[in-house]
Amino acid sequence: MEIFKEHNKGVLVENKGKKIVVSKIWGDNSFHFEFNNKTAMSFMKTMAFPKELFAIYHRDKKMYEFIYLPLQEDYSRSFEYIYQGKSFKLYYGKPTSSFEKLVKHFVLDDSAEYNDRVYGMLSYFGFYNNKDSSLIPVNFFIEGDFDSMPYNDQVSFFKQVNFMMKYYDRKSPCIIIFDTTDEGIEVKIPCKSESIAFPAILNSKKYDSTLLDLMEAAQQATSIRLKYIFYYQVLEYCSYYYLENGLKRKVENIIKSPDIINSNLYSSKIIELYSDYLKKSNSETLRMDGLLKEFCSFDSIKNEIVTNADCFLEDICFDGGLKIEKLFSKREDIDNPQNGIMPVIRKNIDAIRNVLVHARELRENVVIAPTVKNNALLRPYLYVLRRLAEEVIIKFE
C-alpha cells in the first residue's frame, strides 16, 4: 500500500477491527471503503483519486476514468482530441473492473453530505448490488500521455474538453471539476427574526411586480454571482424611478401654489429643479446615494453586519486582485458607525458589482476569480445587498 499512499496524499488507510478502512478518497469525508484484508484491495495500487475530479486515474494505463451513471440507454461517443501537439482518445464505455470492485466495497457514512460524488457512488452501488438489467453502466474515458503533462495543465485540458463538447453538442455531459480551494471564512446567514420576533400579523401595500420578479430570480439562482447581480438590479431600477418621481412630486408641489399664475418666481424654481435633475440623472452614484438615503439607514442592515462582523473588521482580498477595505477597526464601532458609512457601503457594493458584470474593474486590472474562496468572501456583502433591496421594495412607490 506504500505505492498507493504515494500517489494519494491525504487518503487514510486504517485497521479497524477485522476490517481495513480506506477513507478520504477524493478528499471526501462522506463515505469510505471497507476490505477484509490487504489482498482484497491490491487492485487499488495503480489507482489515483484527484481531489479536483470525480474520476480515477489508472496509472498503468495512462487513462482517466470519469464516473458517470447507469443509464436507461447506452451513451456512445468517441473522438480524438489533439492538445498541444499530443493526441488523446476520448470515449464513453463500460466501467473498468477495478471501478466495479471499488464500488462493491463502498460504505456511506452516517454524517454524509449529499454531493455529486455521493450520488454517483450510490447510483453505482445500487446498480451492482441490485443487478438491474434494464440499466447500462457508462463512464467517460480519456487515454493519453498524461505522465509528461503537469497536473495543472491536465485540469486546464479537461476544461477545454468541456468547452468543445458543449460547443458541438449542448446536451453533452461534462466533466465535473471541483474547486478545492479552502474557503477560509465562516459566513452565517443573517435572519431578521433573530433581532425581532416574527410578527403575528403582516400588512403591506402592493409591491412593484418587476421588483418582485427580480427578487424571485435572485432567490432561485444557484450562482452567488448571479444572485448579487439580480439584487443590485433592484437598486438600479428603483434609483432611476426614485429620481423621476422625486422631481414629479416637487413640481406638483410648486404648481399647487395659489399664486402660481401671478408670479415669475416659480418658473425659476422649476428650471432649478430640472437642472438638478439632469445633473443627477447622468450620475448613477448620485441616484443610488439619494435612494439609499431616503429609504435605508445603517440600522436597516445592522443585523447583517453584526451576524458576520469579522468579515467587516478586515480587508476583503479576492483571488484576482480586488480589495474591499474594512468598514470598522473594532467591533464596538458597529454600534456607533461613522457619519457617511452608507455611501462607503454603497461604494463597496458598486465595486463588487462592476467586477462581476464587466469581468474586471474598468479602472484597474483586477478581477474576482470564480473560486470557492471568493464565493465565501462575497456572501457578507451579498446579504447586505439583499437586505437593502428588500428595504427599498417595501418603501418604494
Side-chain angles (χ1 to χ4, degrees), residues 170-358:
R170 296 299 184 195
K171 295 182 179 180
S172 176
C174 279
I175 296 168
I176 298 174
I177 300 174
F178 295 90
D179 190 331
T180 59
T181 307
D182 182 10
E183 294 187 10
I185 180 173
E186 181 183 358
V187 182
K188 299 176 183 177
I189 300 176
C191 178
K192 193 74 170 178
S193 57
E194 289 176 353
S195 55
I196 59 173
F198 195 100
I201 300 175
L202 293 171
N203 178 43
S204 70
K205 62 181 178 65
K206 184 177 180 180
Y207 301 132
D208 188 295
S209 60
T210 299
L211 297 178
L212 295 179
D213 287 342
L214 286 171
M215 292 298 289
E216 186 74 14
Q219 290 161 7
Q220 292 181 2
T222 56
S223 166
I224 187 172
R225 291 165 170 253
L226 198 55
K227 286 178 180 288
Y228 196 99
I229 291 169
F230 279 131
Y231 288 134
Y232 190 90
Q233 286 180 341
V234 170
L235 300 187
E236 278 187 317
Y237 178 92
C238 292
S239 66
Y240 177 81
Y241 287 104
Y242 157 75
L243 187 61
E244 191 175 82
N245 292 344
L247 173 65
K248 182 180 177 182
R249 286 195 302 270
K250 291 175 182 177
V251 171
E252 286 177 346
N253 289 334
I254 289 176
I255 62 178
K256 288 176 183 177
S257 301
D259 60 342
I260 185 70
I261 297 176
N262 303 317
S263 177
N264 293 324
L265 172 65
Y266 297 110
S267 60
S268 61
K269 285 186 176 181
I270 292 175
I271 292 171
E272 185 179 328
L273 285 175
Y274 272 101
S275 176
D276 185 59
Y277 169 80
L278 291 173
K279 181 177 68 174
K280 291 182 178 179
S281 65
N282 291 323
S283 171
E284 186 176 324
T285 297
L286 292 176
R287 294 200 309 268
M288 194 77 76
D289 280 342
L291 176 77
L292 297 182
K293 184 177 180 180
E294 178 161 344
F295 295 134
C296 302
S297 66
F298 183 76
D299 286 341
S300 305
I301 57 171
K302 185 176 179 181
N303 193 47
E304 274 64 26
I305 300 291
V306 170
T307 303
N308 292 295
D310 291 343
C311 303
F312 298 99
L313 293 170
E314 296 181 356
D315 294 343
I316 300 177
C317 299
F318 293 98
D319 291 341
L322 181 66
K323 177 181 176 181
I324 301 296
E325 294 185 359
K326 62 185 178 182
L327 290 178
F328 309 98
S329 297
K330 54 185 183 296
R331 192 175 293 266
E332 292 75 18
D333 293 341
I334 298 175
D335 291 325
N336 297 290
Q338 61 181 342
N339 291 330
I341 187 66
M342 292 302 289
V344 173
I345 292 172
R346 192 269 312 152
K347 179 182 176 182
N348 292 344
I349 287 172
D350 281 355
I352 294 171
R353 174 263 185 188
N354 290 342
V355 176
L356 294 180
V357 171
H358 301 296

Side-chain angles (χ1 to χ4, degrees), residues 36-89:
N36 292 328
N37 51 61
K38 288 185 178 180
T39 302
M41 58 185 300
S42 61
F43 70 92
M44 296 180 68
K45 69 179 180 181
T46 59
M47 301 166 72
F49 300 86
K51 289 184 178 181
E52 289 83 0
L53 306 171
F54 185 26
I56 300 166
Y57 180 56
H58 299 276
R59 293 182 295 103
D60 55 334
K61 301 175 183 177
K62 295 184 180 179
M63 178 181 73
Y64 274 96
E65 179 177 9
F66 295 89
I67 297 157
Y68 192 21
L69 286 171
L71 304 174
Q72 294 287 347
E73 297 179 359
D74 196 5
Y75 193 94
S76 58
R77 171 174 291 159
S78 63
F79 57 97
E80 181 184 7
Y81 197 118
I82 299 174
Y83 178 73
Q84 295 184 341
K86 297 179 181 179
S87 176
F88 295 85
K89 182 181 177 182

Side-chain angles (χ1 to χ4, degrees), residues 136-167:
I136 301 171
V138 178
N139 281 347
F140 181 59
F141 298 86
I142 303 181
E143 297 179 11
D145 184 13
F146 288 106
D147 291 347
S148 62
M149 184 188 297
Y151 181 66
N152 287 340
D153 288 352
Q154 295 177 30
V155 175
S156 295
F157 170 51
F158 300 144
K159 290 179 181 179
Q160 291 196 200
V161 169
N162 279 345
F163 174 76
M164 294 308 298
M165 288 198 295
K166 284 294 186 183
Y167 179 80

